[in-house]
């Protein structure tokens, strides 16, 4: 084992002495800071060396986090007063916000049709049952609005009977009118928000078999409905063809006029009349230009 020289030992002792001095100075600074804080909190109490430990004990007992100080890089922070911060509901509709069509949220909620399932009777025979399968698990929205006893399974199993039709489909496929569709006694309907735009009017949905029954009664059965549908299609086609023929006639007339105007711009037109054609029972005769088609009526002598 190597031994240290006297110079090395003296340096080690000097370093130890400096370390003890720095430690004593750090302890003194901490004690002085604690005494100052204690004096600020209770100015009537003496901050002498004999009361330092007692003040530190009282301060830590009253406010245990008062002596804790953040690091320098964390001194610039923002302190929020949560009692003054408003809850924004995470971006969702707040209670005081406006609902659809300018209504308040409470008014909008009060106008919603909430369908509650009625209580079942003790006797199973007294409960309403499905038309198709006699099930008790009915769709009570259909029962309340349409008066139709059908369960959810049968509603999906028979779409040709229990599917919903829009007002446009009822008018185009079953030839019903707006007054008939707006009469709840004739055809009850279910309202749903318009999927295209929330500012549009609500959709009116009708039950298919009820619409068919009413349409067959109105048009004397399915054959009468088909006949009326074909009649309207034919009438619409004739009207379209007539309109097309009228436009074609106007176009030809305009083209003919423009052609003759161009000819007149080039040279003066000279009529080439055809032979006279006597009008029976009169003293008149007609002649027609062989080029432009102009026709005249003249008095015939002899």
């Amino acid at each position: 084992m190597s031994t240290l020289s006297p110079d090395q030992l003296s340096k080690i002792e000097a370093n130890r002495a400096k370390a003890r001095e720095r430690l004593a100075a750090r302890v003194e600074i901490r004690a002085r800071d604690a005494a100052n804080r204690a004096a600020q909190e209770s100015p009537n109490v003496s901050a002498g060396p004999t009361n330092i430990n007692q003040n530190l004990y009282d301060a830590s007992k009253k406010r245990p986090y008062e002596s804790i100080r953040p690091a320098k890089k964390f001194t610039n922070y923002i302190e929020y007063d949560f009692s003054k911060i408003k809850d924004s509901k995470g971006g969702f509709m707040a209670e005081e916000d406006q609902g659809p069509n300018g209504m308040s949220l409470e008014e909008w909620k009060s106008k919603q049709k909430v369908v509650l399932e009625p209580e079942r009777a003790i006797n199973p025979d007294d409960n309403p049952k499905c038309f198709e399968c006699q099930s008790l698990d009915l769709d009570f929205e259909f029962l309340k609005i349409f008066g139709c006893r059908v369960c959810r399974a049968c509603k999906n199993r028979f779409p040709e009977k229990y599917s919903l039709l829009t007002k446009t489909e009822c008018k185009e496929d079953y030839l019903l009118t707006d007054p008939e569709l707006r009469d709840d006694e004739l055809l009850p309907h279910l309202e749903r928000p318009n999927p295209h735009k929330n500012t549009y009017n609500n959709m009116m949905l009708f039950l298919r078999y009820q619409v068919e029954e009413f349409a067959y009664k109105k048009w004397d059965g399915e054959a009468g409905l088909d006949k009326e549908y074909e009649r309207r299609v034919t009438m619409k086609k004739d009207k379209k063809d007539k309109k097309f023929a009228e436009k074609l006639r106007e176009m030809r007339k305009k083209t003919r006029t423009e052609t003759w105007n161009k000819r007149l711009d080039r040279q003066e037109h000279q009529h080439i009349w055809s032979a006279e054609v006597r009008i029976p029972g009169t003293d008149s005769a007609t002649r027609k230009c062989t080029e432009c088609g102009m026709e005249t009526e003249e008095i015939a002598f002899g």
Side-chain angles (χ1 to χ4, degrees), residues 254-266:
K254 183 178 180 182
T255 304
R256 190 186 309 116
T257 304
E258 291 178 353
T259 303
W260 281 108
N261 288 337
K262 290 180 180 178
R263 291 183 181 180
L264 292 175
D265 292 340
R266 290 195 301 267

Side-chain angles (χ1 to χ4, degrees), residues 145-146 164-191 202-215 218-219 232:
I145 296 176
F146 299 111
L164 297 177
L165 300 175
T166 62
K167 185 173 73 171
T168 303
E169 292 173 336
C170 295
K171 293 170 65 176
E172 293 180 354
D173 298 341
Y174 295 94
L175 309 181
L176 302 182
T177 60
D178 278 328
E180 293 171 344
L181 295 174
R182 294 187 180 278
D183 193 344
D184 290 335
E185 295 181 359
L186 294 178
L187 289 172
H189 64 274
L190 176 66
E191 290 191 2
N202 291 339
M203 289 195 309
M204 299 172 63
L205 302 176
F206 302 85
L207 196 57
R208 181 180 291 274
Y209 86 89
Q210 294 181 352
V211 174
E212 288 182 353
E213 288 179 356
F214 180 79
K218 177 181 179 180
W219 300 111
R232 294 192 182 190

Side-chain angles (χ1 to χ4, degrees), residues 182-297:
R182 294 187 180 278
D183 193 344
D184 290 335
E185 295 181 359
L186 294 178
L187 289 172
H189 64 274
L190 176 66
E191 290 191 2
R192 285 286 184 267
N194 198 303
H196 301 289
K197 200 171 184 180
N198 56 1
T199 56
Y200 292 168
N201 293 331
N202 291 339
M203 289 195 309
M204 299 172 63
L205 302 176
F206 302 85
L207 196 57
R208 181 180 291 274
Y209 86 89
Q210 294 181 352
V211 174
E212 288 182 353
E213 288 179 356
F214 180 79
Y216 292 164
K217 183 178 179 181
K218 177 181 179 180
W219 300 111
D220 295 331
E222 186 176 359
L225 177 61
D226 293 340
K227 185 178 179 180
E228 177 65 17
Y229 184 81
E230 292 176 359
R231 187 188 71 83
R232 294 192 182 190
V233 170
T234 304
M235 184 176 64
K236 187 182 296 184
K237 183 177 181 301
D238 294 341
K239 186 177 180 181
K240 186 176 180 181
D241 293 342
K242 184 178 179 181
K243 186 176 181 180
F244 175 77
E246 184 67 25
K247 287 185 177 181
L248 186 61
R249 190 181 303 110
E250 292 293 332
M251 184 183 68
R252 287 175 178 174
K253 184 178 179 180
K254 183 178 180 182
T255 304
R256 190 186 309 116
T257 304
E258 291 178 353
T259 303
W260 281 108
N261 288 337
K262 290 180 180 178
R263 291 183 181 180
L264 292 175
D265 292 340
R266 290 195 301 267
Q267 60 181 359
E268 184 178 355
H269 175 63
Q270 297 293 333
H271 294 293
I272 302 176
W273 301 105
S274 63
E276 292 183 354
V277 178
R278 296 295 294 267
I279 301 176
T282 63
D283 295 334
S284 301
T286 60
R287 290 194 303 172
K288 186 176 182 181
C289 178
T290 57
E291 290 190 4
C292 67
M294 181 179 179
E295 188 175 352
T296 61
E297 184 177 349

Side-chain angles (χ1 to χ4, degrees), residues 92-133:
F92 293 92
M93 183 182 293
E95 293 294 332
E96 63 273 9
D97 289 346
Q98 291 291 327
N101 300 326
M103 297 185 296
S104 65
L105 186 60
E106 293 299 330
E107 294 176 351
W108 180 79
K109 286 181 178 180
S110 63
K111 291 187 178 182
Q112 300 306 304
K113 296 181 179 179
V114 181
V115 179
L116 300 178
E117 183 175 347
E119 296 182 358
R120 295 184 179 181
I122 299 177
N123 186 4
D125 297 334
D126 296 337
N127 293 313
K129 298 179 181 179
C130 176
F131 287 136
E132 307 293 340
C133 64

Side-chain angles (χ1 to χ4, degrees), residues 139-172:
D139 190 327
F140 289 96
E141 186 177 30
F142 272 40
L143 180 62
K144 180 179 180 181
I145 296 176
F146 299 111
C148 175
R149 300 199 309 267
V150 61
C151 65
R152 295 174 177 83
C154 292
K155 183 178 68 173
N156 298 327
R157 191 181 304 128
F158 304 103
E160 70 280 358
K161 189 175 180 180
Y162 300 108
S163 60
L164 297 177
L165 300 175
T166 62
K167 185 173 73 171
T168 303
E169 292 173 336
C170 295
K171 293 170 65 176
E172 293 180 354

